[in-house]
Amino acid sequence: MSTLKIGVIVGSNSKQSINKQLAQGLVNLAKDRADFVFLDIAQLPLYNRDFDGTPAAQPFEEFKAKVRGCSGLLFVTPEHNRSVPAVLKNAIDGGSRPYGQSAWGGIPAAIIGTSPGGPATSMAQQHLRNVFVFADMPTMQQPEGFIRWTEGLVDANGQVGSASKEFLNKYMEKFLAWVKLHQPR
């Protein structure tokens, strides 16, 4: 089997995003087992179906082509108001339109996220799971990744700290196995 190409989508457009830091740490844990590419969603315009098929839809068409080129997708997201951040929902909506031209269908996915709060990003992840069912994305169910952000979770060099390294390494092993399981035969 050829090398897996994993798209990493961070559900935040903040330059200081702790989820972006977590995503980099996860990539560093598994970069010897797959190729990873960060798919930027911050520059996508607000999706509007009136623009389908027009030059205004070009950013979404380019984004969809990148999504379709991936073997699997790793979503690393914060939680906003107990749900999915608007920038991430916009990317998912635009990537699924126009109807019948979704880029997401059949691509295996996993969801993980971090927050300083106790429940971490559990509600956002549950909402994403509901969306992914409709988008026809087989989504890894276990292990769940509700990561509480603490000092040292990921260091300044993008390396996962020793307290979380074992769990997050196993998470990535399971995710890559999930992606392999769902590759066309």
Side-chain angles (χ1 to χ4, degrees), residues 79-147:
E79 182 171 294
H80 291 179
N81 298 318
R82 298 283 190 245
S83 192
V84 179
V87 68
L88 179 55
K89 185 65 166 72
N90 182 61
I92 294 167
D93 289 347
S96 71
R97 303 314 251 175
Y99 185 79
Q101 298 177 31
S102 176
W104 309 111
I107 301 176
I111 309 166
I112 193 168
T114 188
S115 168
T121 60
S122 59
M123 294 295 288
Q125 290 187 42
Q126 187 57 49
H127 288 177
L128 278 176
R129 289 179 194 288
N130 292 339
V131 172
F132 290 176
V133 167
F134 180 79
D136 192 26
M137 295 173 64
T139 306
M140 183 175 80
Q141 301 300 311
Q142 294 293 325
E144 295 177 306
F146 310 134
I147 310 302

Side-chain angles (χ1 to χ4, degrees), residues 35-104:
D35 292 332
F36 292 87
V37 59
F38 281 80
L39 304 179
D40 184 21
I41 62 173
Q43 301 306 316
L44 291 173
L46 187 60
Y47 175 73
N48 181 336
R49 76 181 217 165
D50 294 343
F51 299 138
D52 288 350
T54 73
Q58 190 59 34
F60 281 109
E61 293 305 318
E62 292 169 3
F63 176 69
K64 287 165 59 174
K66 291 176 185 175
V67 168
R68 287 183 181 115
C70 293
S71 311
L73 296 167
L74 178 64
F75 290 81
V76 186
T77 188
E79 182 171 294
H80 291 179
N81 298 318
R82 298 283 190 245
S83 192
V84 179
V87 68
L88 179 55
K89 185 65 166 72
N90 182 61
I92 294 167
D93 289 347
S96 71
R97 303 314 251 175
Y99 185 79
Q101 298 177 31
S102 176
W104 309 111

